[in-house]
């Protein structure tokens, strides 16, 4: 075995050990708890050029989430679809399916579509050797839930800016996002985040993100979620959350992600997601 092959083998073993340690830790944590709906582990989005392909610039994915308390259990299946119209313009559509099963006699069983989120991203400055890519984004949360227990009233409008830089072994994304909350009883929110992906080898990435949300508005969730999941944050309830996970590139097109989210309010979540890129990036 030559030097390069031995180095690749060592990297592969290191990636498998890292994935095993993190996944074992997350499984030991127990049950799934408080979470915003998202079909990916990291909330910060990549620049459109990262998913561009001239033949079929389409990426799809989904999550499987489970939450429970003494009154009810909730199963949630957020999904996403991304399509690049051009190398710098990308459309994102994120539907959500929710099932709530009661544990008490007077509880309701609810199954249906949750609120729909759509987004448009435009990369107006391309990445260069000493310059990050800059992307403007606009998001709309549509009140499409088929039941009030799995949705929230009004449309939310969000405007944001993303700075992305490829540092060879690590990809860094910075995001600032302001949301005009449609619920008249809630206030707007502003969040800043930093996310990174460390490429261990061709198969494994370590993913991390820190997000801080300012204000009193709803933080990406349905008003009917259990255990306070997605319940609007009250005055002064600024929130910080940290995410750590592993991405496993099974093939050039198929990726599986698993990780955990911990928040300063004491809530946490285990996340499992998959993603299929028709472009193969």
């Amino acid at each position: 075995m030559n030097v390069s092959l031995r180095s690749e083998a060592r990297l592969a073993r290191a990636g498998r050990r890292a994935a095993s340690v993190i996944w074992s830790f997350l499984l030991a944590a127990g049950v799934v708890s408080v979470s915003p709906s998202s079909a990916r582990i990291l909330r910060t989005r990549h620049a459109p050029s990262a998913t561009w392909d001239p033949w079929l610039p389409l990426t799809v994915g989904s999550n499987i989430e489970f939450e429970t308390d003494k009154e009810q259990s909730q199963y949630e299946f957020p999904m996403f679809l991304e399509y690049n119209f051009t190398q710098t313009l990308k459309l994102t559509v994120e539907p959500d399916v929710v099932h709530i099963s009661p544990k008490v006699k007077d509880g309701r069983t609810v199954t249906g579509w949750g609120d729909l989120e759509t987004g448009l991203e435009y990369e107006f400055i391309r990445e260069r050797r000493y310059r990050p890519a800059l992307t403007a984004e606009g998001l709309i949360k549509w009140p499409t839930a088929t039941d009030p227990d799995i949705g929230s009233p009004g449309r939310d409008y969000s405007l944001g800016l993303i700075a992305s830089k490829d540092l060879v072994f690590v990809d860094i994304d910075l995001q600032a996002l302001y949301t005009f909350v449609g619920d008249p009883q809630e206030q707007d929110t502003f969040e800043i985040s930093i996310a990174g992906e460390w490429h261990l080898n061709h198969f494994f990435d370590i993913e991390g993100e820190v997000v801080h949300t300012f204000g009193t508005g709803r933080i990406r969730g349905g008003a009917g979620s259990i255990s306070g999941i997605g319940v609007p944050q009250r005055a002064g309830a600024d929130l910080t959350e940290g995410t750590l996970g592993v991405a496993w590139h099974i093939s050039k097109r198929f990726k599986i992600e698993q990780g955990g989210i911990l928040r300063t309010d004491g809530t946490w979540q285990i996340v499992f997601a998959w993603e299929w890129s028709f472009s193969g990036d």
Side-chain angles (χ1 to χ4, degrees), residues 44-46 132-135 137 160-165 171-177 191-196 209-210:
T44 306
R45 303 166 187 263
H46 295 295
L134 293 180
T135 302
E137 65 172 338
L161 182 67
I162 307 168
S164 305
K165 191 72 178 76
D171 293 337
I172 299 294
D173 295 285
L174 301 173
Q175 183 185 51
L177 187 70
E191 67 179 45
I192 56 174
S193 59
I194 178 172
E209 183 179 41
V210 177

Side-chain angles (χ1 to χ4, degrees), residues 46-88:
H46 295 295
S49 57
T51 55
W52 164 251
D53 181 87
W55 299 106
L56 188 56
L58 177 67
T59 304
V60 297
S62 180
N63 273 18
I64 300 176
E65 300 177 1
F66 173 70
E67 305 155 14
T68 188
D69 65 9
K70 63 181 180 181
E71 295 184 354
Q72 57 189 13
S73 296
Q74 177 170 309
Y75 302 83
E76 195 161 359
F77 306 91
M79 298 162 276
F80 79 93
L81 180 150
E82 290 182 347
Y83 183 81
N84 283 69
F85 293 105
T86 67
Q87 193 171 5
T88 58

